[in-house]
Amino acid sequence: MQFSTDPKTLSNDLQVEESSFRRALKKIDYTTAGPITGLVFIIILFSILSPHFLSVNNIVNILRQVSIIGIMAIGVTYVIIMAEIDLSIASIMPLSGIIAGAVATGGYLMPFALPVWVAILCGLLTGALFGFMSGFATAKLKIPSFMATLSMMFIIEGVMLWFSGAQPLYGIPDSMQWFGAGKVFGIPVIVVIFILVFVASDFVLRKTVFGRNIYAIGGNEEAARMSGINVDKYKIWVLTICGILCAFAGLLMLGRIGSAQVTAGVGLQLPPIAAVILGGTSLFGGIGSMRRTLVGVLLMGVLVNGLNLLGVGADGQKLATGIVLIIAVATNVMGTLKK
């Protein structure tokens, strides 16, 4: 094999290689590769800095910590892919737990207790009701989802304070607490439920007509409407599903803390949304997946857990989370604009 020593030929070869390298870089989907790379990096970093990080107990603890936010984030993923937003998630979650707890114990305004399965159904229906109302306001009344769900947030908080009197409710039946605090073969039930919800939601989004139509609406609502998709119906359905999943998270929180609390949703309004964006789902709709959301949820959970193990306080954790999030959002926006 002979190699050319002609400077012009070498220069041309280098330019071709550089051009190929640039084209390869442009093909990389940074909104997907970035979060995965970041997750792998911080796992390696924390495993080096803390000998306890990769222990089985700590890994299970991370999964337990992210399960409630993860289920809420799954619901929000549907909404954001459809280019909408839901700000009522952290209000639906505690109210659903309060309703379920009251029905199961006969507390608050309930005259008597009912079976646990009825209580669970009432909690889920609470989430479905308020999700439906948000969807109806967005689809039929043409109120932007930001304002519709913000208004619903205040309505839900008012209902919650009136119904509970701002008082905690104890005496939750053990069978109801099992969902948030029980274990199956040593694995927390809450983690098993999170995995099952993720698998089912991922299948719906990737393999069904319902999921494909959500992408179509988020990508171009007017084109989706012209192609025969009932956009209003899908908006109502998606926000209703989000409400149900947030109610489900509320039932798990009820079992995890062993009581119904009006403060159960404090601090949980933005983390699920942040996890979805952090995973690479587009702020502009039409792009995203449950797998990306899972990466975002794990990234936030691992970051907070690792900083905890290193003795970093809440101030440092919030600072680190904010920095990671703003980098993720900048990458998200730039990646979307390139497309």
Side-chain angles (χ1 to χ4, degrees):
M1 183 180 292
Q2 295 183 348
F3 296 93
S4 173
T5 57
D6 182 21
K8 290 184 178 180
T9 303
L10 288 173
S11 177
N12 290 334
D13 290 342
L14 288 173
Q15 288 178 1
V16 169
E17 290 180 6
E18 183 179 358
S19 177
S20 299
F21 180 69
R22 287 180 178 177
R23 285 197 298 270
L25 286 178
K26 288 181 179 180
K27 291 180 180 179
I28 297 176
D29 184 1
Y30 291 100
T31 58
T32 300
I36 295 175
T37 303
L39 178 60
V40 172
F41 173 76
I42 63 173
I43 287 175
I44 294 173
L45 178 64
F46 286 137
S47 63
I48 294 172
L49 296 177
S50 173
H52 305 292
F53 179 76
L54 285 181
S55 66
V56 174
N57 286 339
N58 190 56
I59 293 172
V60 172
N61 187 43
I62 291 173
L63 293 174
R64 183 192 295 113
Q65 290 172 345
V66 303
S67 292
I68 289 176
I69 289 177
I71 290 174
M72 296 171 71
I74 288 171
V76 173
T77 302
Y78 287 113
V79 177
I80 293 181
I81 288 177
M82 207 172 60
E84 303 291 351
I85 195 70
D86 191 345
L87 299 180
S88 66
I89 54 176
S91 299
I92 290 176
M93 191 268 282
L95 176 61
S96 300
I98 285 173
I99 296 296
V103 173
T105 62
Y108 294 139
L109 302 179
M110 290 295 297
F112 50 83
L114 293 173
V116 167
W117 70 268
V118 177
I120 292 173
L121 182 60
C122 288
L124 295 177
L125 287 175
T126 299
L129 172 63
F130 285 104
F132 174 83
M133 291 168 64
S134 293
F136 184 86
T138 300
K140 298 299 184 180
L141 303 182
K142 306 304 178 184
I143 300 173
S145 58
F146 180 92
M147 288 307 302
T149 57
L150 180 63
S151 303
M152 200 58 60
M153 179 188 75
F154 288 115
I155 292 171
I156 294 168
E157 289 179 356
V159 171
M160 183 164 54
L161 290 172
W162 164 77
F163 184 79
S164 68
Q167 298 298 315
L169 178 66
Y170 300 99
I172 306 300
D174 292 341
S175 56
M176 181 174 283
Q177 292 192 45
W178 179 81
F179 291 99
K183 290 187 177 181
V184 176
F185 302 112
I187 303 173
V189 174
I190 194 172
V191 174
V192 175
I193 292 174
F194 171 46
I195 293 172
L196 292 176
V197 171
F198 164 75
V199 171
S201 299
D202 183 58
F203 176 82
V204 169
L205 198 57
R206 292 191 305 114
K207 300 295 185 179
T208 67
V209 174
F210 182 81
R212 289 194 293 271
N213 287 346
I214 289 174
Y215 280 109
I217 294 169
N220 190 323
E221 181 177 324
E222 192 56 36
R225 198 184 300 274
M226 294 294 290
S227 66
I229 298 174
N230 189 333
V231 174
D232 290 351
K233 182 182 75 172
Y234 273 85
K235 287 185 177 183
I236 293 173
W237 266 111
V238 164
L239 283 162
T240 301
I241 290 171
C242 185
I244 292 172
L245 288 174
C246 289
F248 199 8
L251 296 175
L252 297 179
M253 178 67 84
L254 182 68
R256 186 175 178 185
I257 64 179
S259 62
Q261 304 271 355
V262 294
T263 58
V266 173
L268 294 181
Q269 181 178 19
L270 296 181
I273 298 173
V276 175
I277 303 304
L278 190 57
T281 294
S282 175
L283 285 163
F284 304 102
I287 300 172
S289 69
M290 292 301 170
R291 296 179 183 184
R292 293 187 183 193
T293 293
L294 179 62
V295 172
V297 168
L298 292 176
L299 185 54
M300 290 186 67
V302 168
L303 181 62
V304 172
N305 178 268
L307 292 174
N308 263 327
L309 290 178
L310 297 178
V312 178
D315 52 349
Q317 293 176 25
K318 289 184 180 294
L319 178 63
T321 303
I323 292 172
V324 170
L325 185 57
I326 199 168
I327 293 172
V329 172
T331 305
N332 186 310
V333 173
M334 288 188 292
T336 303
L337 291 177
K338 281 183 180 180
K339 296 176 182 179

